[in-house]
Amino acid sequence: MKKIFILAAGLFIAGAANAQSPVRFGVKAGVNIANIIKDDGNNNFNTEGKTGFNAGVTADIPLTDAVSFTPEVLFAQKGYKVTNNLGEYSQTTNFIDIPILASVRLAGPLDLVVGPQVSFLMSNKNKFETGYGSVEDVNENSDKFKKSLLGGVIGARYGLTENLDIHGRYALDFQKINENGNTNTPEFKNQVWSFGLGYKF
């Protein structure tokens, strides 16, 4: 992970030094539709998507007329749901995501965004709801979860105005967040579809 930070810092400095036009900073927020990809273990149940949100800050550093370096720092909610005859189980995991992206102009105001992402686990909450009530556990089994994960992002953004854009993307962790699955908690990787708005100053 340290090498990724050094690379990101190097790219940021080099990009800022060679920027074709002024560096622009911004904010963004949107909706996450998260689910998991189950790995090995006793995972004989189906999961459903879980809705959360993301929000954070961005930078846009032009490298050429068509390519920009676009790092971000985001708070992002992920997780999944399972529904059965007993009720609904949901897990919410809160992360700080640091996408290290390249934005490539495709046509007009439409950009392709792609690159690696480092995610840091902040907290997790498990909730079980039945017709008789609900039970919540905060940070249950968090010692079994990896605190940092490497993943990838691909998506697109469309400039509505000089300052405002809409965007959509898909993010996938390359590593499992946990190592020991069972009938209640699978071994899994996070995957997230996200949609939102960004504003550049």
Side-chain angles (χ1 to χ4, degrees):
M1 294 299 176
K2 186 181 294 185
K3 292 180 179 178
I4 294 175
F5 279 117
I6 293 172
L7 176 61
L11 287 172
F12 185 90
I13 293 169
N18 294 284
Q20 301 298 301
S21 57
V23 176
R24 301 185 68 186
F25 296 94
V27 293
K28 61 179 297 184
V31 175
N32 281 353
I33 303 173
N35 205 333
I36 60 173
I37 295 178
K38 293 180 290 184
D39 209 274
D40 298 330
N42 189 359
N43 301 324
N44 56 343
F45 55 90
N46 295 318
T47 62
E48 305 169 27
K50 186 178 186 302
T51 302
F53 74 94
N54 67 81
V57 295
T58 70
D60 204 79
I61 305 170
L63 302 179
T64 70
D65 290 339
V67 180
S68 297
F69 173 50
T70 313
E72 302 175 349
V73 179
L74 306 172
F75 174 83
Q77 289 187 321
K78 306 176 187 181
Y80 65 95
K81 295 192 300 185
V82 176
T83 303
N84 55 34
N85 294 332
L86 298 176
E88 180 183 278
Y89 170 84
S90 65
Q91 181 175 97
T92 302
T93 46
N94 297 318
F95 284 86
I96 297 297
D97 286 345
I98 304 179
I100 305 167
L101 305 175
S103 299
V104 181
R105 181 58 47 86
L106 297 179
L110 179 63
D111 292 343
L112 169 73
V113 294
V114 62
Q117 173 174 277
V118 185
S119 300
F120 297 94
L121 178 66
M122 305 303 292
S123 64
N124 71 282
K125 180 177 74 174
N126 303 312
K127 185 175 183 179
F128 185 67
E129 295 182 278
T130 69
Y132 302 101
S134 63
V135 177
E136 291 187 9
D137 289 303
V138 178
N139 294 325
E140 181 186 30
N141 296 322
S142 61
D143 58 322
K144 298 180 180 179
F145 288 173
K146 288 188 176 72
K147 305 307 179 186
S148 59
L149 298 165
L150 180 63
V153 175
I154 187 168
R157 67 178 181 181
Y158 186 87
L160 298 174
T161 69
E162 182 180 348
N163 300 99
L164 185 67
D165 70 75
I166 58 173
H167 53 264
R169 61 179 57 170
Y170 173 74
L172 172 67
D173 287 344
F174 299 149
Q175 298 170 290
K176 293 183 293 185
I177 191 172
N178 61 342
E179 296 295 342
N180 299 306
N182 54 47
T183 56
N184 297 315
T185 303
E187 297 176 37
F188 66 91
K189 301 174 184 177
N190 290 303
Q191 60 173 338
V192 181
W193 290 95
S194 62
F195 307 90
L197 293 171
Y199 185 86
K200 298 186 186 70
F201 298 103

